[in-house]
Amino acid sequence: MKSLKKILIITPLIFLLGLGVLLALHEYIAISTKNLVYDEIEKLPDSSTVIVLGASVFSDGKLSPILKDRIDAGFELFQRNKAKQFLLSGDHKTDDYNEVDAMSNYLLEKGVPKDKILLDHAGYDTYDSMYRSKAVFHISDAIVVTQEFHLPRTLFIAKNLDLNYVGYIAETRIYKPSNQLLFREKLANLKAIWEIILDQGPTTLKNPYNE
């Protein structure tokens, strides 16, 4: 009985401690990258490349709302001459799921020249995308485009990989993040810290599917 009481007391304390760590880490990452996040194009420094991070696509190849918001924001930066080219980094683990070509096709339909679009088919997660952007594509400065909730972790990874990147917030005109997704982002901060501490490499340094 005493053991059960101890478990009933300790379990919520452990939960609260873990939650506190998640919230503190989230706040630390947000504060440490705050000066790298922009929401106004006029204040955004010019860069060589716009990096658009992948998100889910539908079975017919159409962009999900969250990804469409990202690619539209990146396209606007390109139109405003804030960057000279794109790096589209996303998941293409199988032949029947391809975030990268979906983004590329969308930009091509908008009139972006093919030679202005670099394709990273092995951007399996945020860490891989950031690591490979320099190691594989040799991009030294960039504007990373994603949603506001995702930018702090993205730029924290980039900063700790010694990348000279800033971030631009993709307006959520269509997509609103759920509470579940926001909590998952806080959990993902732990993974990012772990990868940085271990100085971990990406899943692969090869560039599958590219010519």
Side-chain angles (χ1 to χ4, degrees), residues 131-151:
Y131 196 108
R132 287 171 51 81
S133 66
K134 181 65 178 293
V136 177
F137 295 93
H138 311 295
I139 294 171
S140 57
D141 63 292
I143 303 167
V144 185
V145 177
T146 185
Q147 274 72 24
E148 185 173 11
F149 70 87
H150 186 207
L151 267 177

Side-chain angles (χ1 to χ4, degrees), residues 48-49 51 85-90 100 117-123 128-141 165 204-208 210-211:
S48 67
T49 307
I51 300 176
Q85 64 177 356
F86 289 88
L87 172 61
L88 309 178
S89 183
V100 181
I117 304 174
L118 300 174
L119 305 178
D120 181 8
H121 293 270
D128 282 11
S129 292
M130 292 295 95
Y131 196 108
R132 287 171 51 81
S133 66
K134 181 65 178 293
V136 177
F137 295 93
H138 311 295
I139 294 171
S140 57
D141 63 292
Y165 293 178
T204 179
L205 283 171
K206 295 181 180 179
N207 201 17
N210 271 17
E211 297 177 355

Side-chain angles (χ1 to χ4, degrees), residues 3 8 23 36 41 49 59 67 71 79 98 113 132 134 146-147 166 168 194 211:
S3 296
L8 291 176
L23 293 175
L36 301 174
I41 293 180
T49 307
S59 57
L67 186 52
I71 204 75
Q79 280 190 310
N98 187 347
R132 287 171 51 81
K134 181 65 178 293
T146 185
Q147 274 72 24
V166 296
Y168 180 67
W194 183 250
E211 297 177 355

Side-chain angles (χ1 to χ4, degrees), residues 22-190:
L22 281 180
L23 293 175
L25 183 58
H26 176 77
E27 188 67 18
Y28 169 71
I29 289 175
I31 290 172
S32 67
T33 58
K34 185 177 180 180
N35 66 323
L36 301 174
V37 176
Y38 293 81
D39 60 1
E40 297 180 41
I41 293 180
E42 293 76 15
K43 296 181 180 179
L44 190 66
D46 294 349
S47 188
S48 67
T49 307
V50 172
I51 300 176
V52 182
L53 300 178
S56 59
V57 298
F58 299 121
S59 57
D60 60 0
K62 289 185 178 179
L63 309 180
S64 63
I66 188 172
L67 186 52
K68 186 176 184 300
D69 284 343
R70 292 179 188 183
I71 204 75
D72 282 341
F75 178 67
E76 184 176 7
L77 295 180
F78 182 76
Q79 280 190 310
R80 299 277 290 271
N81 296 315
K82 283 295 177 179
K84 301 178 178 64
Q85 64 177 356
F86 289 88
L87 172 61
L88 309 178
S89 183
D91 191 347
H92 186 182
K93 283 182 180 176
T94 62
D95 290 337
D96 58 356
Y97 184 77
N98 187 347
E99 296 173 358
V100 181
D101 283 349
M103 290 189 282
S104 177
N105 291 338
Y106 186 83
L107 289 176
L108 291 172
E109 290 174 2
K110 284 182 169 290
V112 177
K114 188 175 181 179
D115 63 355
K116 299 297 183 182
I117 304 174
L118 300 174
L119 305 178
D120 181 8
H121 293 270
Y124 300 133
D125 61 20
T126 305
Y127 186 85
D128 282 11
S129 292
M130 292 295 95
Y131 196 108
R132 287 171 51 81
S133 66
K134 181 65 178 293
V136 177
F137 295 93
H138 311 295
I139 294 171
S140 57
D141 63 292
I143 303 167
V144 185
V145 177
T146 185
Q147 274 72 24
E148 185 173 11
F149 70 87
H150 186 207
L151 267 177
R153 176 166 61 93
T154 303
L155 294 173
F156 183 77
I157 292 169
K159 183 178 179 180
N160 282 276
L161 292 174
D162 296 321
L163 303 176
N164 183 29
Y165 293 178
V166 296
Y168 180 67
I169 297 172
E171 295 182 21
T172 51
R173 291 162 291 195
I174 302 171
Y175 173 84
K176 298 293 182 183
S178 65
N179 289 332
Q180 182 181 7
L181 184 56
L182 293 175
F183 182 71
R184 282 177 57 194
E185 183 62 26
K186 290 180 175 63
L187 286 176
N189 287 335
L190 290 174

